[in-house]
């Protein structure tokens, strides 16, 4: 029985892009125990994945943030993380961080086989690696699955996976009923933000907010749909513009949901209309229809996966 640690400190989409690899491992070797090292913000994407035994939620960025308020606290959290990983005695790590510091920690924690990408010569502490000069010509999921060659596994399926507990499904039904939405209603969700991972630069991925408002008016008129606006608190200014644009009723849930609640609410929608960002990949992982707008990011590499007629992608070519 092997113990494998998956390392991915990035955003929601990147974490979901690793789920086909996890499924391939468990399908081939069901007794394998899998741990996952992610950042604090995305941990609820993984907590209910029954293929993952333990989640270690603390990235280098999280430690830095903790150090900004208290250097002692940040160092203490980092040491606790290291001890927790070392205690598990993992045999293998799949490192998607593209950062030598994560593979160094893996080595110090006693992980003998460390698999990953040698990006910009950052693979110094990896034992098995593929040279990477950037993600080009194929989807990130395909790059991730390429690493399975080092343990002799060929994936049978390539779909993203995201589990929702029954209790979360019941809560979302109840929450939407409070807004007058029933299961028989046509629910259209919109995520007009750009994802937290890009920070202030996310605005370059945004379809104009006024366009989302105009689209909401048309959808409401043509289909009598119930329209949900989703996002985190930082995206409230975008929604303020939408609210000024619409003449139809909308349900504004921006800043009012946890990540777990967001996932279960997207699951209730017929379709998600979104910019490139985490909510889009949540919808794809849940098997929902999506209509997404891309700008500087290539949807062939970072778009909804796997490509399917359920996913309509519109793109304006912009320099990244």
């Amino acid at each position: 029985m092997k113990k494998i640690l998956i390392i991915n400190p990035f955003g929601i989409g990147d974490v979901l892009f690793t789920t086909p690899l996890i499924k391939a491992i468990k399908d081939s070797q069901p007794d394998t125990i899998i741990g996952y090292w992610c950042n604090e913000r995305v941990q609820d994407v993984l907590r209910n994945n029954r293929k993952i035994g333990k989640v270690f939620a603390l990235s280098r960025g999280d430690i830095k943030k903790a150090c900004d308020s208290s250097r002692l606290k940040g160092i203490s959290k980092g040491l606790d993380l290291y001890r927790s990983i070392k205690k598990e005695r993992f045999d293998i790590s799949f490192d998607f961080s593209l950062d030598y510091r994560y593979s160094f920690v893996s080595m110090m924690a006693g992980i003998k086989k460390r698999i990953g990408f040698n990006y910009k010569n950052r693979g110094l502490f990896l034992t098995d690696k593929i040279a990477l000069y950037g993600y080009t010509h194929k989807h990130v999921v395909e790059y991730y699955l390429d690493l399975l060659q080092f343990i002799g596994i060929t994936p049978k399926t390539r779909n993203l996976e995201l589990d929702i507990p029954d209790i979360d499904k019941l809560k979302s039904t109840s929450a939407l009923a409070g807004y007058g939405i029933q299961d028989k209603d046509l629910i259209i969700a919109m995520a007009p933000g750009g994802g937290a991972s890009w920070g202030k630069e996310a605005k370059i991925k945004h379809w104009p907010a006024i366009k989302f408002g105009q689209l909401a008016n048309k959808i409401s008129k043509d289909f009598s749909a119930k329209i949900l606006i989703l996002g985190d608190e930082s995206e409230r200014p975008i929604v303020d513009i939408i609210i000024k644009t619409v003449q139809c009723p909308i349900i504004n849930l921006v800043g009012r949901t946890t990540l777990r609640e967001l996932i279960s609410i997207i699951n209730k929608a017929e379709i998600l209309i979104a910019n490139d960002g985490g909510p889009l990949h949540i919808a794809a992982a849940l098997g929902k229809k999506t209509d997404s707008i891309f700008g500087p990011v290539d949807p062939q590499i970072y778009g909804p996966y796997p490509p399917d007629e359920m996913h309509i992608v519109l793109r304006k070519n912009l320099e990244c």
Side-chain angles (χ1 to χ4, degrees), residues 187-189 228 264-272 288-289:
I187 302 172
I188 306 294
L228 311 179
S264 59
I265 286 172
I266 289 175
N267 191 52
K268 299 288 290 184
E270 177 71 19
I271 184 171
L272 175 73
K288 313 304 293 186
K289 297 175 184 176

Side-chain angles (χ1 to χ4, degrees), residues 239-312:
V239 182
D240 290 341
I241 296 173
I242 294 174
I243 290 172
K244 292 176 182 178
T245 306
V246 297
Q247 287 86 47
C248 64
I250 63 170
I251 297 165
N252 178 11
L253 297 178
V254 170
R256 297 178 181 175
T257 64
T258 64
L259 180 53
R260 281 183 64 169
E261 291 166 344
L262 175 71
I263 291 168
S264 59
I265 286 172
I266 289 175
N267 191 52
K268 299 288 290 184
E270 177 71 19
I271 184 171
L272 175 73
I273 302 170
N275 294 317
D276 168 29
L280 169 63
H281 301 298
I282 288 171
L286 293 172
K288 313 304 293 186
K289 297 175 184 176
T290 70
D291 191 345
S292 54
I293 301 97
F294 277 72
V297 175
D298 187 347
Q300 181 184 357
I301 301 167
Y302 291 101
Y305 189 87
D308 187 275
E309 61 184 11
M310 291 178 59
H311 304 302
I312 297 172

